[in-house]
Amino acid sequence: MSKNYRQLGKTAIVAFAGAFGGFICATVMAADVIDLLKTTTSMTDGTAIVASRGETPEALAEVAKLGITAYEEDATVGGHGAPQKTLLDNDVVRVNLVAFKKGFKRSGGMKRRYDQLLVYVDQGGYTLTTSNGKPMATPATHKVAPGSSIFHRRESVINDSVIDQDYRVLFIEMKK
């Protein structure tokens, strides 16, 4: 009978070790998942996913006073001369993948024809040199993590920018 008790004891120890190990493993994995879901509204952090809501109605009203009437050209939406590829284009949505190279100067001073959602495939780094068509005294440097999304409303003005590092971004235009 003592042999059965030893076997039962060994089984209990193995079961306890397995359960404890599973608990520790699940806790560590959950901590990793929480870090992967970390978000921020900071456009300068670069380590957490940015979620930007886009321009406010007040900001759009100010932009309307600038008198900018030109829209970005359909053929260059997003990239403005940077290499890009249209992934999808129908009557509802257009998706362009743009590959920006360090040092590229993206022109602005025109309006967005449609609502746009930008989704960063790689970590993005760029500096805005204008704001609503006006030169900035202190250019704003932005660094966003892969997976970050920035929403821009139709009729908002595109700012001039200089690309600080190579990255790819999806420009998703909602036509309806």
Side-chain angles (χ1 to χ4, degrees):
M1 215 149 77
S2 66
K3 187 175 182 179
N4 287 341
Y5 283 121
R6 277 191 297 231
Q7 186 62 32
L8 184 60
K10 288 178 185 177
T11 302
I13 289 170
V14 169
F16 175 77
F20 184 72
F23 172 76
I24 295 298
C25 183
T27 302
V28 169
M29 289 174 64
D32 286 345
V33 170
I34 291 169
D35 287 343
L36 291 175
L37 296 177
K38 181 179 173 187
T39 61
T40 183
T41 55
S42 169
M43 296 288 287
T44 59
D45 181 271
T47 60
I49 293 176
V50 173
S52 174
R53 296 176 158 200
E55 295 77 12
T56 64
E58 295 80 18
L60 289 174
E62 286 299 313
V63 167
K65 294 177 187 176
L66 297 173
I68 297 172
T69 58
Y71 288 98
E72 61 184 326
E73 295 178 36
D74 279 347
T76 62
V77 166
H80 295 257
Q84 67 183 41
K85 181 178 187 178
T86 301
L87 303 178
L88 175 66
D89 191 1
N90 60 35
D91 61 326
V92 177
V93 66
R94 175 180 23 214
V95 180
N96 288 337
L97 175 63
V98 179
F100 287 114
K101 293 290 184 192
K102 182 177 180 175
F104 181 79
K105 293 179 181 172
R106 182 173 179 256
S107 59
M110 59 199 97
K111 297 193 300 185
R112 292 175 175 86
R113 187 177 309 275
Y114 304 110
D115 289 336
Q116 288 181 347
L117 178 66
L118 283 61
V119 180
Y120 289 77
V121 176
D122 307 306
Q123 182 164 13
Y126 57 93
T127 300
L128 297 179
T129 58
T130 63
S131 177
N132 293 330
K134 298 177 184 173
M136 296 174 73
T138 305
T141 299
H142 293 192
K143 193 169 191 176
V144 296
S148 293
S149 60
I150 298 171
F151 179 71
H152 291 294
R153 297 184 190 280
R154 72 181 67 221
E155 303 292 318
S156 62
V157 172
I158 300 164
N159 297 313
D160 290 291
S161 57
V162 176
I163 307 306
D164 299 328
Q165 68 185 63
D166 294 355
Y167 68 90
R168 294 170 297 160
V169 60
L170 292 168
F171 279 80
I172 304 165
E173 288 190 302
M174 287 132 303
K175 297 178 181 180
K176 290 187 177 186

